[in-house]
Amino acid sequence: QLSKYLIENSTKTSYQMLKLRNVMKAGAMLRKVKSRSWKKQRHFRLQDDGQTIWYKSRWAGTGHSTFSVGDIEAVREGHQSEVLQSIAEEFPADLCFTLVFRGRRGNLDLVAESASDAQAWIRGILVALSHRFPSLRWIWDWFQKADKNKDGRMNFKEVRSLLKMMNVDMNEEYALRLFTRADKSESGCLEIEEFVQFYKMLTQREDVWNVFQNYSRDGQMLTLAELEEFLRQEQQKGEESQDHAHELIVRFEPSETAKKQGAMSIDGFQIYLVSSEGDIFDPQRLELHQDMSQPLSHYFICSSHNTYLMEDQLRGQSSQEAYIRALKRGCRCVEVDCWDGPNGEPVVYHGHTFTSKILFRDVITTLGEYAFKVSEFPVVLSLENHCSVEQQRVMAQLMDTILGDTLLRAPLNGLVPQVLPSPLDLKGKILLKAKKIGGLEESDTLNDEVTDEVTDEVSDEDEPKSPSAETLSKSKLSRELSDLVVYCKSVHFYGFEYSCQHSKCYEMSSFSESKARKLAKEKGMEFVQHNSRHLSRVYPSGMRTDSSNYNPQELWNVGCQMVALNVQTAGLEMDLNDGLFHQNGCCGYVLKPDFMRNDSSFDPERPEEREGYKPLRLSIQVISGQQLPKLNQKEGSIVDPLVRVEIYGVSKDQAKQETSYIHNNGFNPLWNETLNFIIHVPELALVRFVVEDYDKASRNDFVGQFTVPFTCIQPGKIGGIILPLRIHQICITW
């Protein structure tokens, strides 16, 4: 009966999804592969909740493992992992696929028994990922969860269990009233059609309904004129309201009858509010919209530190997968630590530690394949070179051969630049950042017979105190490798005055986090001016053996472009990084404010002295939340949610405020609280929304967060935020 209902009332996509889910629920034998020698058969099956995949060995008894579809970031077909490449001769590509998980969890490499089995699972997971929240699927899921005896009906006892699963602490009298209203057959049980009605009553949002009623004259529909009025008054759309109202009805109204009448129902209104159109992040800012023709030094550049590491920098795994994840995340500067390896092959790892080693050749191959899948703008390869001259030549040859025309080998148009070229000029190019013999001005006059020169090989992350100190540490540098460095020549930093007088535009320095923070605090204005002409890279302290991160905001405040973070480590710092670079098409480049692109007198410690200084007031009303997940799976546990709004920017803008907590309501908490802030430098400010589960006896539990640049906040009063979580999503109305 339920299948018949779904088939008759769903779209073709929903039907296809149902068929694929049934195949996955039936289960299949798949080989789990960890290495060339470790390949074990496991029985995989999709659970009844439609979200959990369960697997176990034939001989494991009751023991099994699970993961959620929501934890999967991507599915790769064929031999697209190091492990599957190693068994390519044994298993053809059409049997193989890789599940890539979010966060630190390692990939799951699988081999199916047939190509059809592989396709069923690949397509099934992809469909589930791309249709995570269609209403019919949720109704199917909740009905199956509530129907304990699987008789196709749901009694009141099962309803009470359902409410607990949905994180709802509703009194029994109200729950019974909803149940009775939905039980049209008066049988004491809900069948599927009645359950749909029950679910609709349960998920009706009073907060949205109140806004709808304020503008709807008949309380049933918003006419075109009423929707226009809402857009003018609440969303501040102005003269464009009429055309925009019609567009919203076409896009979001589910009822064909209402569409023909040029009206919007409460369902369409609610869908609109939680869509990207109603999101706090201005959809136009999500697209590539900034001027990309300015010098490289005028942009913040998404940057990764120790990119090869999947975990910590003492014993962590080095992997090509780490580069794939960083590049797909939008990183445009990645790091490679190179050391002499066996058989003349350079290797990549964190030197003098127990981290595993991977071949430099494999890193460059991965870079060549994934560098421009997410963004077409240039990638900077930051090279920490600890190799002998012989293996440096091998490195140069590998980059030349594997990267081909994407590797920049000479200045554009053969001219020595006075200012750095732009991201637009360098589209599709990989730039090497490393030491260089001489400068671009000398390249035509150097003796071609010379194959290597004496030059310092002090690491970028171990700076000498003065120019004379360079003579204390000398080593040979391969001419072949040196010649590949064009616009990112690594030089030591000897002070802002020295740099202003002697440094070329293509020379750049790296700073430890402690040195950069000290300079930002003591000489902020000079640092801003320096960064308007030169690239600067900042890296985490070597004491961060757990691959933790520092706050990048302090360095963005002085215009540092490459603020390198351990992207494999989740937390506040990566939330800020993801928030900043989510704009401008996620291309990895964000144009700095105009007062940081010239020789202005901007000092982040004294923003009120800036020409054109005009602080702004930010007022956020936190209205409600929907379907917050249970963090504590203990019987009867319900989340007590609160919302905290945090401001990150110049020191005068650092602030945070939070709502009160709502006791035992994770399903539809209602706050209706207003938080106010004064923003002194809005161009640099980030606004972070955090949801926590209040605990009076211990530290609050983290539920989810969303970070948005202040300049990307969409004007208007009514909208929503989707907070990404490990499995679930939350909608917070503001």
Side-chain angles (χ1 to χ4, degrees):
Q1 184 183 10
L2 180 58
S3 298
K4 182 171 182 283
Y5 177 87
L6 284 172
I7 292 170
E8 291 175 351
N9 292 276
S10 64
T11 62
K12 184 178 179 181
T13 301
S14 299
Y15 178 58
Q16 176 198 31
M17 183 174 168
L18 183 61
K19 288 176 63 179
L20 290 169
R21 281 167 53 128
N22 287 338
V23 171
M24 294 169 70
K25 283 183 178 181
M29 293 302 297
L30 304 173
R31 280 187 177 86
K32 180 181 175 182
V33 184
K34 290 186 177 180
S35 66
R36 295 185 67 176
S37 59
W38 199 102
K39 302 182 285 287
K40 308 279 188 179
Q41 288 271 15
R42 296 288 184 265
H43 184 246
F44 282 74
R45 180 160 54 84
L46 181 67
Q47 298 295 88
D48 288 339
D49 65 2
Q51 280 291 291
T52 306
I53 294 178
W54 168 101
Y55 65 96
K56 61 172 287 187
S57 163
R58 291 177 179 175
W59 304 279
T62 58
H64 65 274
S65 299
T66 62
F67 60 87
S68 169
V69 171
D71 288 336
I72 299 172
E73 183 176 271
V75 183
R76 298 189 192 135
E77 297 187 51
H79 302 136
Q80 292 200 59
S81 74
E82 296 163 70
V83 171
L84 292 180
Q85 286 170 6
S86 70
I87 60 168
E89 294 182 3
E90 185 177 357
F91 297 103
D94 60 0
L95 301 183
C96 302
F97 62 100
T98 300
L99 302 183
V100 181
F101 292 93
R102 304 179 192 279
R104 287 192 174 195
R105 181 170 182 166
N107 293 351
L108 184 57
D109 293 301
L110 299 170
V111 179
E113 294 188 335
S114 68
S116 59
D117 279 354
Q119 279 301 305
W121 279 80
I122 291 168
R123 289 169 56 214
I125 292 172
L126 288 174
V127 168
L129 285 173
S130 60
H131 297 85
R132 290 181 63 192
F133 296 103
S135 59
L136 280 175
R137 206 206 75 194
W138 275 107
I139 293 173
W140 164 279
D141 286 346
W142 287 124
F143 190 92
Q144 290 225 324
K145 287 179 180 180
D147 185 15
K148 296 295 184 184
N149 57 10
K150 306 303 178 188
D151 63 354
R153 301 189 303 168
M154 184 176 65
N155 60 37
F156 184 64
K157 182 179 179 182
E158 291 169 328
V159 165
R160 285 184 300 180
S161 298
L162 168 69
L163 294 176
K164 287 290 184 184
M165 287 189 285
M166 296 174 76
N167 208 5
V168 180
D169 186 25
M170 185 181 293
N171 72 61
E172 190 164 320
E173 182 182 347
Y174 181 61
L176 181 59
R177 191 159 67 247
L178 287 183
F179 182 91
T180 304
R181 285 170 57 190
D183 182 17
K184 302 296 185 184
S185 63
E186 300 182 354
S187 65
C189 292
L190 301 182
E191 297 186 3
I192 179 60
E193 293 85 354
E194 295 168 329
F195 179 74
V196 170
Q197 184 61 31
F198 172 79
Y199 186 87
K200 194 166 185 177
M201 287 189 290
L202 192 64
T203 56
Q204 180 174 304
R205 295 185 56 177
E206 187 176 343
D207 52 325
V208 175
W209 178 253
N210 289 338
V211 175
F212 185 84
Q213 291 293 304
N214 287 341
Y215 288 89
S216 173
R217 187 168 301 172
D218 65 4
Q220 301 299 315
M221 292 283 180
L222 283 175
T223 65
L224 188 62
E226 290 167 346
L227 183 56
E228 287 173 30
E229 182 67 12
F230 167 79
L231 293 174
R232 272 194 299 270
Q233 295 296 325
E234 302 290 354
Q235 310 299 64
Q236 301 175 13
K237 290 297 182 182
E239 295 180 358
E240 61 184 86
S241 295
Q242 183 172 0
D243 291 340
H244 195 54
H246 182 266
E247 179 191 341
L248 293 180
I249 291 171
V250 172
R251 288 177 59 190
F252 299 114
E253 176 52 51
S255 166
E256 290 300 324
T257 302
K259 275 186 185 179
K260 290 176 183 176
Q261 295 173 351
M264 179 174 277
S265 66
I266 180 63
D267 292 328
F269 188 65
Q270 185 165 312
I271 292 169
Y272 150 63
L273 286 182
V274 297
S275 73
S276 60
E277 282 285 341
D279 197 286
I280 193 171
F281 207 120
D282 187 343
Q284 295 182 356
R285 300 275 183 162
L286 290 172
E287 304 298 326
L288 183 67
H289 67 280
Q290 294 181 343
D291 177 8
M292 303 303 290
S293 63
Q294 300 204 27
L296 282 177
S297 56
H298 287 185
Y299 298 84
F300 296 121
I301 303 172
C302 189
S303 303
S304 164
H305 175 251
N306 287 351
T307 312
Y308 47 89
L309 288 178
M310 297 286 286
E311 300 168 14
D312 67 81
Q313 60 186 46
L314 281 183
R315 298 177 178 273
Q317 176 191 3
S318 301
S319 172
Q320 297 159 244
E321 182 64 34
Y323 286 92
I324 296 173
R325 293 187 179 190
L327 291 166
K328 291 186 75 173
R329 199 164 185 162
C331 287
R332 296 289 88 190
C333 177
V334 295
E335 185 180 21
V336 184
D337 282 3
C338 301
W339 300 79
D340 282 353
N343 305 316
E345 283 268 9
V347 294
V348 175
Y349 82 113
H350 197 59
H352 311 300
T353 68
F354 296 103
T355 59
S356 61
K357 301 174 182 178
I358 52 177
L359 293 177
F360 179 79
R361 175 193 303 272
D362 291 340
V363 170
I364 298 305
T365 299
T366 301
L367 181 62
E369 184 176 352
Y370 286 91
F372 304 108
K373 283 188 179 291
V374 169
S375 170
E376 60 186 349
F377 294 107
V379 172
V380 176
L381 181 61
S382 182
L383 189 66
E384 282 291 314
N385 176 17
H386 306 278
C387 291
S388 62
V389 171
E390 291 73 23
Q391 293 211 11
Q392 288 178 44
R393 291 194 182 106
V394 174
M395 290 161 57
Q397 183 182 16
L398 288 171
M399 285 189 284
D400 184 72
T401 303
I402 295 171
L403 299 179
D405 291 340
T406 62
L407 180 65
L408 188 74
R409 296 175 176 80
L412 299 177
N413 303 317
L415 301 175
V416 176
Q418 299 304 307
V419 295
L420 286 168
S422 70
L424 192 63
D425 295 330
L426 296 166
K427 274 204 311 188
K429 292 296 183 183
I430 295 173
L431 283 62
L432 184 63
K433 171 194 168 293
K435 303 292 183 181
K436 183 176 179 65
I437 302 168
L440 296 180
E441 297 84 355
E442 307 166 39
S443 58
D444 293 333
T445 60
L446 287 170
N447 187 346
D448 290 337
E449 297 296 320
V450 180
T451 57
D452 53 66
E453 290 282 347
V454 176
T455 184
D456 76 291
E457 197 214 17
V458 179
S459 165
D460 277 353
E461 302 186 4
D462 183 19
E463 302 170 3
K465 294 182 175 60
S466 65
S468 61
E470 291 188 27
T471 60
L472 301 177
S473 178
K474 297 284 186 176
S475 179
K476 289 188 175 182
L477 180 64
S478 156
R479 165 67 64 191
E480 293 87 346
L481 188 61
S482 170
D483 285 348
L484 297 180
V485 179
V486 183
Y487 294 124
C488 296
K489 176 186 176 181
S490 295
V491 298
H492 296 301
F493 179 77
Y494 305 117
F496 294 119
E497 184 178 351
Y498 180 90
S499 174
C500 185
Q501 294 177 5
H502 301 288
S503 294
K504 308 295 184 183
C505 70
Y506 56 81
E507 295 178 331
M508 63 174 293
S509 300
S510 290
F511 303 87
S512 66
E513 62 172 282
S514 57
K515 180 169 184 176
R517 292 172 68 180
K518 187 173 186 293
L519 288 171
K521 192 76 173 175
E522 297 176 356
K523 299 183 178 182
M525 186 190 306
E526 291 174 84
F527 214 166
V528 171
Q529 293 172 353
H530 172 85
N531 286 327
S532 69
R533 302 183 297 270
H534 301 279
L535 292 172
S536 292
R537 177 178 174 270
V538 183
Y539 56 88
S541 165
M543 301 300 290
R544 295 183 181 274
T545 55
D546 59 351
S547 291
S548 60
N549 283 309
Y550 56 96
N551 187 336
Q553 184 69 53
E554 297 176 71
L555 292 317
W556 292 329
N557 289 343
V558 290
C560 292
Q561 299 87 356
M562 301 176 183
V563 183
L565 299 178
N566 293 302
V567 299
Q568 76 274 26
T569 305
L572 163 67
E573 298 81 12
M574 279 308 300
D575 293 342
L576 299 180
N577 193 79
D578 290 342
L580 175 67
F581 290 104
H582 192 52
Q583 62 183 305
N584 204 33
C586 297
C587 74
Y589 286 82
V590 170
L591 188 64
K592 294 195 283 189
D594 57 358
F595 56 80
M596 303 184 88
R597 306 197 300 262
N598 51 47
D599 289 326
S600 74
S601 57
F602 173 69
D603 185 340
E605 293 299 311
R606 291 183 287 276
E608 66 280 358
E609 296 178 5
R610 172 169 66 97
E611 185 180 347
Y613 167 71
K614 185 180 180 181
L616 297 178
R617 178 174 174 268
L618 173 64
S619 180
I620 296 176
Q621 183 185 14
V622 182
I623 301 174
S624 65
Q626 291 288 305
Q627 299 181 19
L628 277 62
K630 290 175 65 172
L631 300 179
N632 187 344
Q633 296 304 318
K634 187 177 179 180
E635 184 72 25
S637 173
I638 302 291
V639 69
D640 300 327
L642 62 82
V643 178
R644 185 170 59 254
V645 178
E646 304 170 346
I647 309 296
Y648 294 88
V650 299
S651 53
K652 281 197 172 182
D653 286 339
Q654 304 287 341
K656 58 181 68 175
Q657 295 181 38
E658 63 185 37
T659 67
S660 56
Y661 70 90
I662 306 297
H663 181 65
N664 275 5
N665 188 351
F667 186 70
N668 57 354
L670 190 66
W671 290 281
N672 273 325
E673 296 184 33
T674 301
L675 310 176
N676 293 300
F677 303 89
I678 298 298
I679 312 295
H680 297 272
V681 187
E683 298 90 340
L684 290 173
L686 295 173
V687 183
R688 184 173 184 251
F689 297 83
V690 185
V691 178
E692 290 183 344
D693 179 11
Y694 173 78
D695 192 327
K696 63 181 179 182
S698 62
R699 187 175 180 178
N700 294 347
D701 291 321
F702 175 81
V703 177
Q705 74 83 39
F706 185 81
T707 302
V708 56
F710 181 91
T711 54
C712 294
I713 292 178
Q714 185 167 204
K717 300 178 183 176
I718 308 294
I721 308 168
I722 299 296
L723 304 186
L725 302 173
R726 294 181 183 87
I727 300 175
H728 306 266
Q729 290 188 327
I730 317 168
C731 175
I732 301 296
T733 312
W734 59 283

